Amino acid sequence: EKSCAEAKRNVKGFTNEALEALRQYSWPGNVRELANVVERAVVLCAGENIGPADLPAEIGGAGGKGATVEPRFGEDAIARLMTFEEAEKALVIKALKHTGGKKGEAAKLLGISWPTLNKKIADYGIEV
């Protein structure tokens, strides 16, 4: 099975700010939490390096303490502000594309249950 870094080769590493945010976080979920955060950041990262905006807010990402950059939506970037539903739909689609349509892996990547993912797919009319 391919790792996230192999699946999306344009991500080369982390910015110093993102590394510092990762170092400062207490990691209550241990290695599994770290792995999930890194996988998610690789999917969301628009550039070559994962920055603070690509990390969850509780780790110091966009909107979290110490965040100094605005969140990016990568390939889904648009000139206008997205609604929550538009952003959620875009993330579900991106996760499904990243996992090759594997719903279980996409749900894990998004941090939601498989039934919740199925509901979102149906609600947004997403074709897998």
Side-chain angles (χ1 to χ4, degrees):
E1 183 177 330
K2 284 184 179 179
S3 71
C4 283
E6 292 171 329
K8 189 169 181 179
R9 294 176 192 263
N10 62 323
V11 175
K12 306 284 188 222
F14 294 85
T15 65
N16 289 335
E17 296 84 5
L19 282 175
E20 188 57 32
L22 293 171
R23 284 187 195 109
Q24 296 296 321
Y25 187 64
S26 65
W27 298 105
N30 298 323
V31 175
R32 287 184 186 179
E33 183 182 10
L34 173 61
N36 287 335
V37 166
V38 171
E39 283 184 44
R40 182 174 177 222
V42 168
V43 170
L44 297 177
C45 184
E48 287 188 346
N49 292 304
I50 294 169
D54 302 309
L55 301 174
E58 66 270 14
I59 299 175
K65 68 178 186 178
T68 57
V69 293
E70 291 297 316
R72 295 185 309 247
F73 294 102
E75 297 150 21
D76 304 318
I78 54 176
R80 65 180 179 82
L81 186 62
M82 296 173 96
T83 66
F84 176 81
E85 288 79 15
E86 290 170 329
E88 185 176 56
K89 180 179 179 180
L91 283 174
V92 168
I93 291 169
K94 197 166 191 175
L96 286 166
K97 283 182 181 178
H98 180 74
T99 62
K102 296 177 185 171
K103 293 180 185 178
E105 289 180 27
K108 182 180 175 187
L109 187 63
L110 293 167
I112 60 176
S113 69
W114 188 82
T116 299
L117 177 62
N118 276 333
K119 181 169 178 4
K120 291 182 185 308
I121 289 170
D123 289 349
Y124 293 129
I126 298 170
E127 292 190 29
V128 181

